[in-house]
Amino acid sequence: MVGSLRVRALIVSVLLLAGFLLAWHFAVQGGIKDTGMDPEYAKLMGLTATQGGSAMPGPLAVGETMWKHLANPFYDNGPNDKGLGIQLAYSIGRVLVGYGLAALVAIPLGFLIGMSPLMNRALDPFIQVLKPISPLAWMPLALYTIKDSTLSSVFVIFICSIWPMLLNTAFGVGSVRKEWLNVARTLEVGPFRQAFTVILPAAAPTILTGMRISIGIAWLVIVAAEMLVGGTGIGYFVWNEWNNLSITNVIVSILAIGVVGMLLDQILAVITRLVTYPE
Amino acid sequence: MTSRYLSIEGIARRFSAGGKRTTVFEDLWFAMDKGDFACIIGHSGCGKTTVLNILAGLDAPDDGVVAVDGKAIEGPSLDRAVIFQSHALLPWRTVLGNVSYAVSSRHPRWSRDQVRAHALKFIELVGLKGSETKHPAELSGGMKQRVGIARALSIEPKILLMDEPFSALDALTRGTLQDEVRRICLETAQTVFMITHDVDEAIYLADRIVLMTNGPEAVIAEIVENPLPRDRRRLDIHKQPDFYAVRNHLIDFLVERSRTFKASLPDGYQRRHPPRVRPSAAPNPTPDGDARAA
């Protein structure tokens, strides 16, 4: 056997990537030149039709554009021409604000639901109805009531990231092992101290799993929300570049969205690992 | 009788499920002096654990009261420490963290150093010195239960309650831990109430062994006074003249009489004063007229 599993997996990954890039490169080279085309029509159709090239940019063109973005990510030449970094920063900022507010509401509320069978039953119908609503369906209502597009997108992030955190917190708190609670009871630990020293650490892995699901959903939703509200953000940038017919920029931003989403997920994964205890 | 250290006075516990009421036990009487080591033996479902939970304050009797040192039990208290069967350590805390948690609950005003020093003393007492920074997952079953014991002892309770503390351990570990628990309890004159399935464990550890009949509606059949000398040792306990008398008595009870006892209550049986028995190798008829021990 050559190397560890990790090394071998890396080799396969690199080979797959290389294969994909090569296939992509040759796929956009285009076919046969259509020389017999009416000159007027050829002008209308552009170079792609007359010279056999594809409108789809190849990996080299995308790489070149990406390099330009990476070299200068924070330029700002007015409303319609901002660097990729600025657009991403806008989106991340909105996600973090909406997500943070959701955590502030969902975790205490989840504690309440997890600890009180009464509240669990009383709030259950509301949660069941509100949870399956697409976050974007809230957008018109948010725009009408809040009257601010940025705040509306923050609200949409809030409403979509609250559910996994709420349900996981409630579940984690509700399923804390009875014997741990009994330990606290026999030690005459007060309810407040018990919540912080027994229930919170016991439920932390479940809560963090909910937070990890939420950040993933929030990052999915912000792109769509920004396409709707416009102005700034990576979602708006993608849509704007589509309107500019700059497929290269669209591909670059798709990649950027993927990388940022992965980073957000990994940050939560690291925190989850920190609070996970082996039994 | 009223001045006993621990006094169980006519407690009952009933559960209702699906409109049917089941009486686990009722009118249960038992008392212990300070420094006593009592074991309760009975089959599963006789309500042993329920009795222990009531003593711990984790469960409440439907009738009757339990008093400790003259005060009725109203909920859990630091005066009564529990050693759980499943050790119930907090897995995100280290050995020191688990014991310190108990110490700081007992002494909320103590400084961090005081708590630490006190916890370390009890970790050393159970022979876990050097493992303070380990987490429960890194410990063997026996070591985990040692932490449970250290945690319970560290709050210096009036009464130690043990719910089959050694049942999940292998025989060798169980033996060592029994030795240590016995040593510590004798040294500190600790009052202990313990549940067990293990007849030999009861004979080795307990001064008195409470026999409970099968549930539901279990009763205390009798209270066996351990005839073995107080300085008994595990090594030669089976060579004590009375060992097999008491052992056979307990096994007979578990095998046969725990089932049949209620159907043929001995004359003059009173729930409030169950017969006291002291099995012995010498001919010494027991109150229920049983010559089995001879």
Side-chain angles (χ1 to χ4, degrees), chain A residues 98-113 158 162 165-166 169:
Chain A
Y99 178 81
L101 289 174
L104 284 180
V105 173
I107 293 171
L109 196 62
F111 254 75
L112 182 70
I113 295 173
F158 168 84
I162 200 165
M165 284 196 257
L166 181 68
T169 306

Side-chain angles (χ1 to χ4, degrees), chain B residues 245-264:
Chain B
V246 63
R247 190 172 195 274
N248 290 344
H249 186 83
L250 297 181
I251 288 179
D252 279 344
F253 178 82
L254 283 181
V255 171
E256 176 77 19
R257 290 169 58 225
S258 58
R259 246 181 322 117
T260 58
F261 184 84
K262 265 187 298 178
S264 55

